[in-house]
Amino acid sequence: MPSSDKALAEPYWVEEMKAVHSIFSGTPGNIARFGDSITYSSASFKPLRYDFTNRTPEDAFAQEWLQSYITPVSWTWQDDAVAESNGNYSSKTAAWPLQTDQNPPMTNIQHWLQKLKPELAVVMWGTNDLSSYDVTTYTNNMRQTLQAIKDNGTIPLLSTIPPRRNYESKSALFAQAMRDLSAELLIPLIDFNQEILTRQPGTAWDGTLISNDGVHPSYNKSTSMDFSESTLNSNGYVLRNYLSLHGLFEIYNEILNPRLPGDFNGDEIVDDSDLPYWQAGYGLDASGDADNDNDTDGKDFLIWQRNVQSGPSTALTAIPEPSTAIVGIIYAIGILARRSFRERRTTTFISKQITRFSCVDFLSD
């Protein structure tokens, strides 16, 4: 299957994360944020509590989901008085969650997980590690932390670190190490590093998406609640929030949302907007799988047809079971629709596959 087709297939991490969630015994809707000063910031995550301007329908739907799904206490976990005890604080490295600062003795990550009982956790350490550790030590520390999160029944959403001034090559190595670790542990990954480099190539990110200190994502209060493309190209914290929002929503759709048969796009309604997903996956993958047999075929279309809310809308709804000739026509439509659909999806918020030689998380084919 060409890589452009694979990118629309079921993500590589879904089955593993379903298994992780099957042992979850915490509080549904609790969402932790683990990291250093980039996470310990009022500009990170917390603004998602309020509606942004210039939202696409997908942005609005994702935000409405998050605001209704997350527990109220989760919003407070980056507040100054409690942030360090909740796993996010300035100057920390990936060694911090493995330290035994607790009484009785246990690792910090074990303590945070027991205390917060998170269903999901956004995880990003590494910026401070650039000046302290080699890539092997950094990776080993992150591996132990992520495995502890999985063992707790919590789904981790890993993020690569942003590029850093004077550490451009090493930050690229660290980012690749997290792509590799995502593939090894079968966990979802947002490639913040590559998204920054895609939007601001070369070193153009320095002073645009990364602030003048060369380390932290940039922040402009006047655009801090805006999802326009111009803001996503210039406000680093808004970009991180945007990617975190859609990454969490993608996990919800793939793992946590009991999807209605025929609801291929996960918006909790079976309607015309689901049909392009069926067309795109016909004969190729499970994008339009309604009967849980891990493929997309005419039977799935009939399930969509029976459950569609808005009534028949295409000439295809007249078929009781596709004949060989009709299957050929539908297949052709599916191929064309798939190409058109793929062209519109310029951003994949969580990696659908991992390629060792390059980032694919936000790759436009």
Side-chain angles (χ1 to χ4, degrees), residues 314-334:
T314 76
L316 299 181
T317 58
I319 58 173
E321 176 65 32
S323 66
T324 302
I326 292 293
V327 165
I329 294 172
I330 296 173
Y331 182 80
I333 292 173

Side-chain angles (χ1 to χ4, degrees), residues 105-139:
M106 68 176 69
T107 63
N108 289 331
I109 188 62
Q110 289 173 329
H111 170 71
W112 301 329
L113 292 168
Q114 287 185 18
K115 174 187 176 183
L116 303 179
K117 300 177 174 58
E119 184 174 26
L120 304 167
V122 182
V123 184
M124 188 178 75
W125 280 288
T127 296
N128 295 310
D129 298 72
L130 290 169
S131 59
S132 304
Y133 298 107
D134 58 37
V135 67
T136 300
T137 302
Y138 167 62
T139 302

Side-chain angles (χ1 to χ4, degrees), residues 263-283:
D263 177 23
F264 304 131
N265 66 356
D267 64 358
E268 301 181 8
I269 301 172
V270 180
D271 59 14
D272 293 348
S273 64
D274 297 298
L275 189 56
Y277 288 78
W278 176 83
Q279 292 173 319
Y282 187 86

Side-chain angles (χ1 to χ4, degrees), residues 98 135-145 178 181:
L98 302 176
V135 67
T136 300
T137 302
Y138 167 62
T139 302
N140 287 338
N141 287 339
M142 289 295 291
R143 179 184 290 108
Q144 293 179 66
T145 294
M178 292 305 97
L181 192 57

Side-chain angles (χ1 to χ4, degrees), residues 19 87 97 143 165 192 209 212 230 248 306-307 314 318 328-329 340 342:
R143 179 184 290 108
R165 185 190 303 158
F192 189 31
L209 286 172
N212 290 329
S230 60
L248 290 167
R306 285 195 297 270
N307 294 333
T314 76
I329 294 172
S340 174
R342 174 58 181 162

Side-chain angles (χ1 to χ4, degrees), residues 228-274:
S228 68
E229 279 299 305
S230 60
T231 296
L232 295 175
N233 287 331
S234 60
N235 193 320
Y237 268 113
V238 172
L239 179 61
R240 189 186 185 200
N241 292 337
Y242 176 79
L243 299 175
S244 297
L245 168 66
H246 284 283
L248 290 167
F249 186 53
E250 196 163 337
I251 292 173
Y252 171 74
N253 276 326
E254 295 286 354
I255 308 295
L256 308 179
N257 183 17
R259 192 171 296 180
L260 297 170
D263 177 23
F264 304 131
N265 66 356
D267 64 358
E268 301 181 8
I269 301 172
V270 180
D271 59 14
D272 293 348
S273 64
D274 297 298

